[in-house]
Amino acid sequence: MGSVLSTSCAPVRWERLARFYGLACSGAVLCSLAAHRLVNPAAKMSMAALMMLTPLMAGTVVQKSYGEPTLEAMGVRRGGLFSRWGLLAALTPAAFVASALVASLAVPGVRCAPGEAMIASIVAAGGSQEQVDQIRCFVAAPPLEIVQKSLLKAVVVGGIVNIIPCFGEEVGWRGWLLRELAPLGFWRASLISGAMWGLWHAPLTIQGHNYPQHPGAGIAMMTAFCALLSPSMTLLRWKSRSVWSAAIFHGVLNAGGALPMLMLAGGNDLTIGVTGLAGLLVLAGANVTIFALCGDDIRPVLEDAWVAKQ
């Protein structure tokens, strides 16, 4: 394991950071505009997946423009991926989803009604009867069994299939960007990188992604969600010394994020689910726990902060 770096009083290279963010956001805008013009759902999803690669592209361009190594700067290494930190990267997002599901039940008017809201959304979107029948068949089991199967599937699918597109995002946000912001310390680096990550979603959010009922307010909610989620991801990223742990975390969260929509009826996209108010409160609680256990004493190893190369 590498030496732990003290990042106090080190400068942040804001010019590089601005170049990276400008490139990543420009790519996001172009991909979202293309997705908006496409009619075929599969084509839209493909364009959204391409958008997830723009942070990787941005980080690569910036590194190459300065003639510096790329993979090393982005944390693309095995590190402690196969340690307890790698395991936590797969299990923590599943715990967040389950906690957000429970917290959502405390929202007035929300009840457990497996399949009801999801079937309604499929019908409203002009989905097929086959899709409706598949949902009805799946939710015929007892609620606890549905939750268990869904979370297990999220861990497996998210940690294997989703890891590829999520790697494109994480190598930029938790790889390149976090390395540049490391001199600010754990909490500021986490919250700033998280807010930048959330705002980067705006071109898709305004089209209804994650917040179809409130696309405008969804931009602020998505930014807050990503900022609150970021400390947990930074902790696992720095402790595992590998950006792959962040990619696994992201992949599992994406795979399980729709579970509250499957299980619940009532409320709206601003109040329930992982990205709703219920989820934000769960993440805030997780951050309080991290602070209580670790305080400010969370630092990257030498390889994960650019100041080590000065």
Side-chain angles (χ1 to χ4, degrees):
M1 181 175 178
S3 301
V4 175
L5 178 69
S6 175
T7 56
S8 59
C9 300
V12 173
R13 301 184 290 191
W14 295 108
E15 181 181 352
R16 291 193 183 202
L17 192 149
R19 291 185 182 185
F20 163 82
Y21 198 55
L23 289 169
C25 288
S26 296
V29 169
L30 291 174
C31 289
S32 61
L33 286 175
H36 180 66
R37 295 178 63 89
L38 293 170
V39 177
N40 185 280
K44 282 180 174 288
M45 290 183 62
S46 297
M47 194 54 61
L50 180 61
M51 176 177 161
M52 296 177 74
L53 298 178
T54 58
L56 164 61
M57 297 175 186
T60 300
V61 169
V62 172
Q63 287 301 111
K64 293 295 184 183
S65 69
Y66 286 97
E68 297 179 0
T70 301
L71 296 182
E72 178 184 357
M74 295 179 174
V76 184
R77 67 182 81 92
R78 187 180 71 176
L81 181 62
F82 297 106
S83 68
R84 68 180 186 277
W85 298 110
L87 179 62
L88 282 172
L91 298 181
T92 301
F96 280 159
V97 171
S99 299
L101 173 60
V102 174
S104 296
L105 287 170
V107 176
V110 175
R111 67 187 191 284
C112 181
E116 183 178 314
M118 185 167 285
I119 289 174
S121 66
I122 290 174
V123 172
S128 66
Q129 184 60 42
E130 182 181 358
Q131 291 176 300
V132 172
D133 291 341
Q134 287 177 345
I135 297 297
R136 285 176 175 163
C137 181
F138 184 70
V139 299
L144 184 58
E145 182 179 336
I146 298 172
V147 171
Q148 291 173 336
K149 287 183 177 179
S150 297
L151 291 178
L152 178 59
K153 181 179 178 181
V155 170
V156 174
V157 173
I160 298 175
V161 179
N162 287 2
I163 193 174
I164 301 304
C166 290
F167 174 80
E169 278 196 53
E170 293 307 322
V171 79
W173 305 126
R174 251 60 60 180
W176 190 92
L177 180 59
L178 196 56
R179 180 176 185 261
E180 293 294 318
L181 291 175
L184 297 177
F186 174 80
W187 289 104
R188 285 194 293 170
S190 296
L191 295 174
I192 291 174
S193 63
M196 293 173 69
W197 174 37
L199 194 58
W200 168 84
H201 288 87
L204 276 185
T205 305
I206 198 64
Q207 296 181 39
H209 182 69
N210 282 335
Y211 301 93
Q213 297 168 316
H214 304 87
I219 294 176
M221 286 291 290
M222 190 65 183
T223 302
F225 166 73
C226 290
L228 289 171
L229 179 64
S230 189
S232 295
M233 299 185 74
T234 299
L235 176 65
L236 293 169
R237 160 72 181 90
W238 279 358
K239 290 295 186 180
S240 69
R241 311 185 310 284
S242 173
V243 77
W244 286 107
S245 62
I248 291 173
F249 185 110
H250 195 160
V252 174
L253 188 66
N254 281 5
L259 179 59
M261 182 182 175
L262 175 67
M263 298 299 299
L264 304 175
N268 58 59
D269 52 21
L270 294 180
T271 58
I272 68 169
V274 178
T275 55
L277 180 60
L280 268 59
L281 291 175
V282 169
L283 294 177
N287 291 336
V288 170
T289 301
I290 293 173
F291 184 78
L293 294 176
C294 305
D296 295 320
D297 192 25
I298 305 172
R299 299 183 178 89
V301 295
L302 294 175
E303 294 84 356
D304 288 330
W306 76 270
V307 292
K309 305 301 179 183
Q310 294 286 292

